[in-house]
Amino acid sequence: MRQLRFALAAAAVALSTGAATALAADPIVIGVSIAQSPPGSVVQGTQVKDGIEIVTKMINDDGGVLGRPLKIVYEDNQGIPEKGRAAAEKLISRDKVVAITGGHQSSVCLAEIEVAHRYKIPYVNTNCWSDDIRIKGYPEVFNPGNYNTRVSSAMAETIAALKVKSVVAFAENTDYGIGQAKILGEFLKKMAPDTDYKYVALDRAGKDFTPAVLPLRSSPPDMVVNIMLPPAAYILMNQLYEQGVAPTAKTWFYDGAGIADYPDFWQNVKEAGKYMLAFGLYHPQMPMPEMGLEVGKIFQKQSGNEPNRLIFQAADSVLLIARAIEQAKSTESADIIKALQNMEFEGVRGKFKFSQEPGYTYQQWVDIPYVTYQLTEVDQPLSKTTLIQASGQALQVDKLVKPAE
Amino acid sequence: MNTPQHPNLHSSKLRNELWLSLLVLGVLAVLPAFVQSNYWLGVLIVSMYFAIIASGWNLLAGYAGQFSLAPAAFAMLGGYSTALFAYHLQAPLWIGLPMAAIIPGLVGLVLGRIVLRLSGAYLALTTLSFAEILRLVIYNSIEFTRGDQGLTVPSLLDDRVAYYYLFLVALALVVGLIYWLLRRPMGRFLQAIRDDEIGAASRGVDVLRYKTLAFLISCAICGFAGGLYGTFARLVSPELGLIAQTGLVIAMVVIGGMGTLVGPLIGALLVYTASEVLRDVGNIQMIVFAFLVIVFARYFREGLWGLLRRSMLRRALAHRKEA
């Protein structure tokens, strides 16, 4: 009888220990909603996924978070807002994720944050630039990525420094394109009041922009600005180049959509990309924390390509959630949100604290680092481009070159 | 008025379909007792949204034989009607929601007068063009509709279960309305037009009038579904009107049973739930549904409900023989 009692007690202890171990090893589930099929940008979705995989492995190899491994559940939103809404709904209700991240298309983010707000689940916006996402003022939404106003102000600063007299912007007919073009106009009024600025809206699904490009042949502006995403941006660039509009000895070509680090950029534009001036969020020569360099190295080793901004933004998104859980010592949504609001975070791109200022800076990394650089050769890797400006480094317009007459 | 009995609209057949529809609605009514997951409740709510659109489209295509390719576009228009009233005029939802039926209904009336003189492929192509033009106008009117960003819509209710029953009541009302219409002379006229338009006209049926009326009601139902859905999703976007959405609606009706009262309900519930279960396989699900539509259209014209009815009839006959 005593033996039986002992055996039962031992079994109970063994079972409870096993249960406790299992409980401790329960993964912390993070939801990622990205475009993995058209019409969404599969290129961007893949880059976000790559960055997330790298940092998740790094965290798990380092013992996980609160002694538990991170588990990522991916959902394909196809770049469609309704699919994004359903994806967020599934991740929260069915997969019981502690937070959602990965968003890289503003219209989808806007649909997803409604769900996150309803369920009070933290939402870390990876790469949705629309100011509206911040302006809504949802306490669950955090923005460590770029935002429209930041791009426009940076571009206006460069344009003012170049002292150009006339600028024509080609903007895609989306809220992003038109919004960005308008904000750029507002900044130019302040920073370069003598510059004549106008924008032309083009269909992002368009295949031929000759009617919009041809009028510039007779009276070329000093600068053409691109606020369009691929593939429309590639078509526009090729037609500007073929028609001899930009880039030329007279006309700068300035990209504000961050397309130079797309993996298929050079194979689509070739000569049309030479001399392009670009706004970017990453450059191999920009200052970066140790962890950022590590993530870049791992990516380069795995893929054989240079990393780009989305790899780092995605890595920061997951790292941010992990650090907030560590700080809160909890996976409860309210605790994670509180931690995110108050903590100072050092990620792969730098150190920052989220602003609580209402408007487009709400829960935003306000001083997100950006770069300006120029492509000077066809098929030029990012590391070989000429860095004109970076965080803590003033604009050096004297470094810029133009095609010969 | 002494109306002739139409073989396809035998009142007992319609009554049977109504009872079966009520059975489906009854099952839906008790489901929240067993389904506690917010996610699955959400899936069922969206299924009911599609069931309303499918029922509206079935009235036009299944009973009147007018093959429109714009049900999703009218749902989008309904969603935007509610959203625009709320966004620009801060109108409460008790104004915005009726507008979701009224505006698409009026647009349907005008469009119907223009396109319903056409038939077959011409009608389908014209409605397809209209649907795409409407979507592009909404997409490009950034100042007014916020373009691809979509418009946020105020929520009608906070509770998911309450929303579930709201959609269930709306679906029951739509089924009731269609049943009531089909029981009236209009129902017989529509089927006469479907089966033989020239014959119906020769018997004094005002063909254009009844086709337009069916188009108006169908558009209003689809629009109302879109308006209701907007308040649930809290967002309407041009993607609501994608041709793929119309394809899904057609698949639901064809698989469930075209020209039957209960078919769109069964089809919508099965197809949308299946598409959610198959979420992980991505766009392959659309290929599966397209294949099923081809198979059903070719071999099972009455859809799942037709198959079920025939097997029940066979069983009843066998039972009678034994007796």
Side-chain angles (χ1 to χ4, degrees):
Chain A
M1 190 66 195
R2 194 185 296 170
Q3 277 177 332
L4 179 67
R5 271 191 207 146
F6 178 78
L8 282 172
V13 168
L15 281 171
S16 60
T17 310
T21 310
L23 204 66
D26 271 353
I28 294 170
V29 187
I30 293 172
V32 173
S33 171
I34 49 176
Q36 293 177 296
S37 54
S41 173
V42 182
V43 170
Q44 284 196 355
T46 308
Q47 289 170 340
V48 169
K49 191 178 180 184
D50 288 345
I52 283 170
E53 298 278 300
I54 289 168
V55 85
T56 304
K57 189 176 182 308
M58 282 169 85
I59 292 167
N60 285 342
D61 288 351
D62 206 28
V65 180
L66 303 182
R68 295 161 64 184
L70 282 187
K71 182 187 167 196
I72 307 292
V73 177
Y74 293 97
E75 273 300 319
D76 178 14
N77 60 41
Q78 295 176 26
I80 296 173
E82 163 52 25
K83 298 276 182 193
R85 185 204 65 77
E89 185 91 42
K90 176 191 172 284
L91 288 168
I92 296 167
S93 309
R94 209 166 97 180
D95 301 313
K96 308 288 181 212
V97 300
V98 299
I100 295 180
T101 188
H104 57 92
Q105 193 175 317
S106 291
S107 58
V108 179
C109 278
L110 280 162
E112 290 175 348
I113 63 173
E114 292 296 331
V115 182
H117 179 57
R118 191 189 314 156
Y119 284 96
K120 308 274 180 287
I121 291 281
Y123 184 97
V124 177
N125 163 14
T126 298
N127 186 51
C128 294
W129 291 13
S130 173
D131 288 344
D132 288 356
I133 293 161
R134 290 83 179 159
I135 289 165
K136 274 184 179 283
Y138 289 163
E140 300 81 10
V141 181
F142 295 87
N143 306 283
N146 191 30
Y147 54 111
N148 276 350
T149 301
R150 182 69 164 176
V151 183
S152 297
S153 66
M155 289 180 78
E157 203 178 302
T158 307
I159 293 167
L162 285 167
K163 295 185 173 64
V164 292
K165 289 279 171 277
S166 55
V167 177
V168 174
F170 287 107
E172 63 176 46
N173 63 336
T174 59
D175 190 76
Y176 151 71
I178 307 280
Q180 187 89 296
K182 280 183 176 173
I183 301 169
L184 178 59
E186 285 165 23
F187 275 107
L188 282 175
K189 268 183 202 161
K190 287 181 217 159
M191 295 184 193
D194 297 332
T195 303
D196 177 44
Y197 170 79
K198 70 166 185 174
Y199 74 86
V200 180
L202 298 176
D203 184 2
R204 78 163 173 184
K207 300 282 179 283
D208 178 26
F209 303 122
T210 313
V213 170
L214 274 180
L216 302 185
R217 277 186 70 172
S218 52
S219 53
D222 293 339
M223 178 181 277
V224 172
V225 169
N226 170 62
I227 311 175
M228 296 183 80
L229 291 170
Y234 298 152
I235 296 167
L236 175 71
M237 283 178 72
N238 286 317
Q239 293 188 334
L240 285 166
Y241 177 74
E242 284 157 14
Q243 297 296 336
V245 174
T248 63
K250 177 179 170 27
T251 308
W252 294 103
F253 181 71
Y254 191 1
D255 168 54
I259 62 172
D261 56 9
Y262 272 56
D264 60 348
F265 175 78
W266 282 117
Q267 72 192 55
N268 281 290
V269 297
K270 295 291 176 197
E271 289 289 336
K274 197 175 168 184
Y275 301 110
M276 182 176 96
L277 190 59
F279 168 89
L281 295 158
Y282 168 72
H283 194 281
Q285 293 164 33
M286 76 192 267
M288 266 193 130
E290 199 58 44
M291 196 174 181
L293 297 172
E294 185 62 25
V295 166
K297 263 186 220 157
I298 294 169
F299 177 79
Q300 196 145 3
K301 196 175 162 188
Q302 281 178 358
S303 67
N305 297 318
E306 286 185 335
N308 76 359
R309 63 193 166 96
L310 278 175
I311 305 296
F312 299 103
Q313 285 171 225
D316 258 347
S317 300
V318 170
L319 195 61
L320 193 55
I321 295 164
R323 294 283 184 266
I325 293 169
E326 278 167 355
Q327 177 125 344
K329 294 184 177 62
S330 156
T331 53
E332 290 299 316
S333 302
D335 299 335
I336 298 172
I337 290 166
K338 202 172 168 188
L340 284 166
Q341 283 170 336
N342 298 313
M343 72 192 222
E344 185 162 275
F345 171 72
E346 176 152 22
V348 301
R349 293 167 298 155
K351 196 185 279 191
F352 69 92
K353 193 173 187 290
F354 286 114
S355 153
Q356 290 299 311
E357 193 72 36
Y360 65 81
T361 54
Y362 182 68
Q363 300 202 150
Q364 169 68 46
W365 179 5
V366 179
D367 298 319
I368 178 173
Y370 66 89
V371 289
T372 309
Y373 56 94
Q374 188 182 28
L375 316 173
T376 53
E377 290 298 334
V378 176
D379 291 329
Q380 192 171 46
L382 198 57
S383 54
K384 297 282 186 286
T385 59
T386 311
L387 188 63
I388 307 298
Q389 170 275 325
S391 297
Q393 177 195 317
L395 259 170
Q396 298 167 286
V397 288
D398 54 305
K399 281 187 173 181
L400 292 169
V401 288
K402 266 186 169 179
E405 285 283 358
Chain B
M1 184 178 167
N2 190 14
T3 50
Q5 286 288 319
H6 191 285
N8 288 341
L9 193 60
H10 196 269
S11 57
S12 68
K13 174 179 175 280
L14 196 59
R15 236 197 325 272
N16 285 343
E17 286 175 14
L18 176 71
W19 282 116
L20 200 77
S21 300
L22 291 174
L23 181 70
V24 172
L25 293 168
V27 170
L28 283 172
V30 297
L31 268 183
F34 306 99
V35 180
Q36 257 97 48
S37 158
N38 263 347
Y39 168 70
W40 283 111
L41 282 177
V43 169
L44 289 168
I45 287 169
V46 181
S47 299
M48 287 190 272
Y49 154 72
F50 275 113
I52 297 171
I53 299 177
S55 298
W57 184 77
N58 183 50
L59 174 70
L60 186 67
Y63 286 105
Q66 305 308 305
F67 205 84
S68 156
L69 284 176
F74 280 102
M76 174 186 68
L77 183 62
Y80 269 96
S81 301
T82 304
L84 288 166
F85 266 84
Y87 185 75
H88 289 293
L89 305 173
Q90 283 73 51
L93 285 174
W94 60 265
I95 292 175
L97 269 176
M99 286 299 160
I102 292 166
I103 291 172
L106 291 174
V107 172
L109 177 67
V110 174
L111 185 70
R113 298 301 292 183
I114 299 164
V115 305
L116 289 168
R117 293 175 194 279
L118 306 166
S119 60
Y122 298 102
L123 173 67
L125 283 171
T126 311
T127 50
L128 174 65
S129 307
F130 168 80
E132 203 53 16
I133 289 165
L134 182 66
R135 194 180 67 81
L136 288 171
V137 166
I138 286 174
Y139 186 92
N140 286 296
S141 308
I142 292 164
E143 298 294 334
F144 188 58
T145 62
R146 292 179 30 79
D148 68 317
Q149 300 279 290
L151 267 176
T152 45
V153 189
S155 183
L156 198 61
L157 304 160
D158 286 329
D159 185 53
R160 172 97 0 150
V161 176
Y163 247 117
Y164 181 91
Y165 284 109
L166 174 72
F167 270 83
L168 187 62
V169 168
L171 180 58
L173 287 173
V174 166
V175 170
L177 171 72
I178 293 170
Y179 175 75
W180 180 77
L181 285 171
L182 294 174
R183 291 275 299 176
R184 303 191 65 72
M186 180 183 164
R188 295 182 179 86
F189 295 156
L190 289 179
Q191 290 189 93
I193 291 165
R194 177 192 65 191
D195 296 338
D196 184 356
E197 200 171 305
I198 295 166
S202 70
R203 298 298 301 271
V205 175
D206 188 343
V207 170
L208 187 63
R209 180 179 169 223
Y210 282 104
K211 282 205 294 189
T212 308
L213 206 54
F215 200 69
L216 181 154
I217 295 164
S218 170
C219 294
I221 290 170
C222 291
F224 176 66
L228 207 55
Y229 175 79
T231 69
F232 166 71
R234 299 189 186 186
L235 182 105
V236 290
S237 72
E239 276 80 10
L240 278 179
L242 281 172
I243 189 65
Q245 297 282 94
T246 287
L248 206 57
V249 170
I250 293 170
M252 287 163 177
V253 176
V254 171
I255 291 169
M258 204 162 163
T260 66
L261 194 65
V262 71
L265 269 67
I266 297 171
L269 290 166
L270 282 179
V271 169
Y272 190 76
T273 310
S275 81
E276 204 55 36
V277 170
L278 296 171
R279 179 184 258 285
D280 294 340
V281 301
N283 278 342
I284 294 170
Q285 52 174 280
M286 289 310 286
I287 299 167
V288 172
F289 295 139
F291 175 73
L292 282 176
V293 167
I294 293 165
V295 169
F296 272 83
R298 174 68 185 83
Y299 299 104
F300 315 107
R301 296 298 287 272
E302 286 187 316
L304 284 173
W305 163 236
L307 280 173
L308 194 69
R309 200 165 55 94
R310 249 182 289 168
S311 81
M312 285 194 306
L313 273 172
R314 265 201 300 270
R315 204 171 294 175
L317 281 169
H319 189 72
R320 208 175 289 174
K321 270 182 188 171
E322 278 173 22

